[in-house]
């Protein structure tokens, strides 16, 4: 009897950890790994890569994202996505103008977009938008 209870408790704890994982991934203190004020671009990328949106959205496995692939990935959240990043986000992120966004361009574009005051670090108030966009119902909730 005790063994059954322990097994059920362990299974429930594991299941809960799977549900809580996406929320934990967007925790400011988890992403600020060096403890300096703000999240730098390297910390941001390491934290954001855990999301796997880039890989999920890359439907043809080309290693780049087309505007169509991103729009398909974003789905019904396209209007909110455009409001967050601006109507010209694709052209701004596509630094080499090849009509595709590489992983580096993707993470750089995201980082710049969340750094609202353009001081090259994402402070905790700015990071709140990251959590919103990665959380349940956000466009990075993949």
């Amino acid at each position: 009897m005790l063994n059954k209870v322990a097994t059920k408790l362990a299974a429930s704890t594991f299941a809960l950890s799977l549900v809580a994982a996406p929320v934990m991934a967007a925790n400011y203190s988890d992403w600020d790994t060096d403890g300096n004020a703000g999240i730098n671009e390297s910390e941001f990328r390491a934290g954001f890569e855990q999301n796997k949106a880039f890989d999920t959205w890359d439907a043809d496995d080309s290693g780049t994202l087309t505007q169509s692939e991103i729009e398909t990935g974003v789905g019904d959240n396209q209007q909110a996505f455009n409001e967050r990043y601006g109507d010209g986000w694709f052209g701004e992120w596509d630094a080499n103008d090849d009509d595709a966004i590489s992983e580096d361009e993707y993470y750089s574009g995201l980082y710049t977009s969340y750094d609202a005051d353009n001081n090259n670090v994402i402070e905790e108030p700015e990071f709140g938008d990251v959590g919103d966009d990665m959380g349940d119902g956000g466009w990075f909730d993949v």
Side-chain angles (χ1 to χ4, degrees):
M1 172 75 170
L2 183 59
N3 195 19
K4 284 184 179 180
V5 170
T7 301
K8 286 184 179 183
L9 180 60
S12 297
T13 302
F14 177 71
L16 183 58
S17 73
L18 292 177
V19 172
V23 174
M24 292 170 50
N27 184 332
Y28 181 84
S29 62
D30 290 342
W31 288 37
D32 184 18
T33 56
D34 65 9
N36 292 341
I39 295 172
N40 64 39
E41 193 163 354
S42 175
E43 292 170 316
F44 178 84
R45 182 170 178 158
F48 216 99
E49 283 178 336
Q50 295 176 32
N51 171 265
K52 305 285 184 206
F54 186 93
D55 297 329
T56 301
W57 294 351
D58 185 13
D60 62 1
D61 293 322
S62 65
T64 61
L65 296 174
T66 64
Q67 186 165 357
S68 176
E69 286 175 318
I70 295 173
E71 289 172 353
T72 298
V74 169
D76 292 340
N77 294 314
Q78 189 64 51
Q79 181 177 349
F81 187 90
N82 288 342
E83 287 172 8
R84 168 82 71 216
Y85 304 115
D87 288 331
W89 62 267
F90 191 87
E92 291 173 13
W93 294 10
D94 183 15
N96 64 358
D97 294 323
D98 66 350
D99 295 322
I101 295 181
S102 69
E103 273 192 270
D104 288 339
E105 290 171 328
Y106 173 78
Y107 290 113
S108 179
L110 285 170
Y111 184 79
T112 301
S113 297
Y114 287 112
D115 182 17
D117 60 7
N118 297 316
N119 67 347
N120 296 319
V121 292
I122 296 176
E123 291 92 1
E124 199 159 0
E126 294 169 321
F127 188 79
D129 291 336
V130 175
D132 292 344
D133 299 341
M134 290 180 80
D136 289 340
W139 42 86
F140 297 113
D141 182 20
V142 294

